[in-house]
Amino acid sequence: NRLDEALAAHRAALAVPEHAADARVAAISRLNIGICLAKGGRLDEAVAELHSAREVVEAAGDNNQLCYVHHNLAQIHILRADLDAARRHAGLEIAVARASGDAVRLARGYEILGDIESAGAPAAAADAWREAAAHYESRGDHERAAGLRARATA
């Protein structure tokens, strides 16, 4: 199974003392372990691993990776139908991305917020998708921006 192979590889990276001591490498490994666990349906383990990754990236001050962690936590909470937790992590991704000036992660945060809101608050979803589209547009990703604008008006 390819997911098991990927899990083993990322866990092996953490077992190397030089890798475990490097906060960025450790955080990326933990993030990837969490993603693999989530893809394998092991959501509780994935959440625990992503919270470990969050602690490491926060300590290292790596805002880009922190955005990835919050984004993945939001996705997992959507799968768990815990939309309040998903919304909280989308909001944290947006806040970190805004503070660090990362337009791509800001767009991704608004995009997933739109996905979260689409089930029960279509106007809020449309607003979030339009905001995401504006940030994608600012980065030259016109195709993605157009797709989100279309979703916002559907």
Side-chain angles (χ1 to χ4, degrees):
N1 173 327
R2 295 182 67 79
L3 283 177
D4 289 336
E5 291 171 12
L7 276 171
H10 292 298
R11 286 184 172 141
L14 284 175
V16 176
E18 299 83 38
H19 292 171
D22 183 325
R24 183 157 164 58
V25 172
I28 291 169
S29 292
R30 291 194 180 284
L31 174 63
N32 286 326
I33 289 168
I35 292 168
C36 289
L37 290 167
K39 286 182 178 183
R42 297 162 59 182
L43 302 182
D44 291 339
E45 291 174 77
V47 167
E49 198 65 49
L50 289 169
H51 281 291
S52 294
R54 188 195 73 223
E55 291 172 10
V56 174
V57 296
E58 284 177 341
D62 188 338
N63 287 333
N64 183 268
Q65 292 301 317
L66 184 56
C67 286
Y68 277 103
V69 168
H70 284 301
H71 192 87
N72 281 283
L73 284 165
Q75 288 178 317
I76 290 169
H77 287 301
I78 290 169
L79 293 172
R80 294 169 127 187
D82 185 350
L83 298 185
D84 289 336
R87 194 176 290 110
R88 183 175 61 253
H89 285 289
L92 289 167
E93 179 181 15
I94 290 166
V96 172
R98 181 174 285 121
S100 61
D102 187 334
V104 173
R105 295 313 315 166
L106 190 56
R108 294 289 290 144
Y110 278 111
E111 185 175 357
I112 199 164
L113 181 60
D115 295 344
I116 294 162
E117 299 297 358
S118 67
D127 288 345
W129 287 327
R130 280 191 289 275
E131 186 71 24
H135 292 290
Y136 283 126
E137 193 75 40
S138 77
R139 300 290 298 162
D141 192 342
H142 307 293
E143 184 176 333
R144 194 159 198 169
L148 285 167
R149 283 195 185 95
R151 288 178 77 188
T153 59

